[in-house]
Amino acid sequence: MEKNAVFEYVKPEEIEKRSFEIITEELKDKGIVLTGDTASVIKRVIHTSADFSYAESLFFSENAVSKARDLIRNGAHIVTDTNMALSGINKKRLAMYGGEVHCFMADEDVAHEAKERGVTRATVSMEHAAKLDKRIIFAIGNAPTALITLNQLIEDKVFIPDFIIGVPVGFVNVVYSKELIINGNVPYIVNRGRKGGSNIAAAICNALLYGM
């Protein structure tokens, strides 16, 4: 047991509220005071990961949070690159605004096409998503090739995403893929560096949904 471990009784329905209070207190101790609409997103990511480095590594394009919430209010759909992210996003809340969550990674036709072409499933999944007749928020937490593909579609003027959440985790092309999105013209929330994951992508989506 850790030396400073102390039991704190908290009613079940108050655990999340207390967790966010602790996050706010510890950020303040670190000299970090979050303000504006990005604060709720950063705190929920920290709540999900217990990693305070996200307070400094999450980057937002101008008015990113308000733009994403406007998209949701107008029925935007969310496309993820993992079923884990899909399962973690509050689909009932999104449905209140007419949206749905999609993940094409496990589709047989995606797997077949990826094998035939010698590319990743993430690449084919993004291409399939681009054919949806919907406004789309992409929530990428695992595959840097998904971000690279989206960037290529943008450069080729084939498809322009409405919003990109770019938080893939890992070592190969992860940092590079995120910088592509930061240097592009599509509204984004991106975590610079190697950290991220499907749980982080879902947490960002839920922070956007819960703040509406």
Side-chain angles (χ1 to χ4, degrees):
M1 182 178 292
E2 289 188 22
K3 185 177 179 181
N4 296 322
V6 177
F7 177 76
E8 180 179 359
Y9 177 76
V10 182
K11 294 179 180 179
E13 65 272 17
E14 295 178 357
I15 290 175
E16 183 172 288
K17 179 176 178 289
R18 179 61 186 135
S19 295
F20 277 90
E21 289 172 351
I22 293 170
I23 290 167
T24 301
E25 291 165 5
E26 292 198 19
L27 283 169
K28 188 176 180 180
D29 289 343
K30 297 174 186 294
I32 300 172
V33 178
L34 302 177
T35 59
D37 56 9
T38 62
S40 62
V41 176
I42 296 170
K43 287 180 181 180
R44 185 156 292 278
V45 168
I46 294 172
H47 178 260
T48 295
S49 63
D51 187 341
F52 283 82
S53 71
Y54 283 104
E56 298 177 319
S57 59
L58 275 169
F59 281 73
F60 300 77
S61 60
E62 187 175 2
N63 299 318
V65 173
S66 61
K67 287 178 180 178
R69 286 175 175 159
D70 283 343
L71 284 165
I72 292 169
R73 287 189 190 94
N74 287 288
H77 287 215
I78 296 174
V79 171
T80 79
D81 63 332
T82 65
N83 282 314
M84 181 184 292
L86 182 148
S87 66
I89 295 170
N90 191 320
K91 289 170 282 295
K92 287 185 178 180
R93 198 167 185 96
L94 182 63
M96 290 169 55
Y97 304 96
E100 298 177 21
V101 186
H102 308 270
C103 180
F104 303 108
M105 292 289 285
D107 291 5
E108 289 186 12
D109 57 336
V110 168
H112 177 75
E113 184 178 342
K115 186 175 181 180
E116 286 277 305
R117 292 168 53 191
V119 298
T120 67
R121 292 189 185 191
T123 293
V124 179
S125 293
M126 296 303 104
E127 293 171 350
H128 280 220
K131 297 174 184 176
L132 290 173
D133 187 22
K134 305 289 182 183
R135 303 199 72 179
I136 302 174
I137 295 172
F138 286 87
I140 309 303
N142 184 68
T145 51
L147 295 183
I148 293 168
T149 299
L150 289 175
N151 182 72
Q152 191 62 56
L153 292 172
I154 294 166
E155 287 191 347
D156 293 343
K157 299 181 180 178
V158 172
F159 172 71
I160 308 295
D162 293 285
F163 198 96
I164 298 174
I165 296 168
V167 291
V169 61
F171 299 93
V172 179
N173 291 326
V174 169
V175 174
Y176 169 77
S177 68
K178 293 174 179 178
E179 293 302 315
L180 286 177
I181 303 308
I182 288 174
N183 292 319
N185 295 315
V186 173
Y188 66 80
I189 299 173
V190 168
N191 189 63
R192 271 187 155 142
R194 294 172 170 176
K195 291 183 180 180
S198 298
N199 60 330
I200 303 302
I204 291 172
C205 290
N206 287 336
L208 294 172
L209 287 163
Y210 298 155
M212 294 176 61

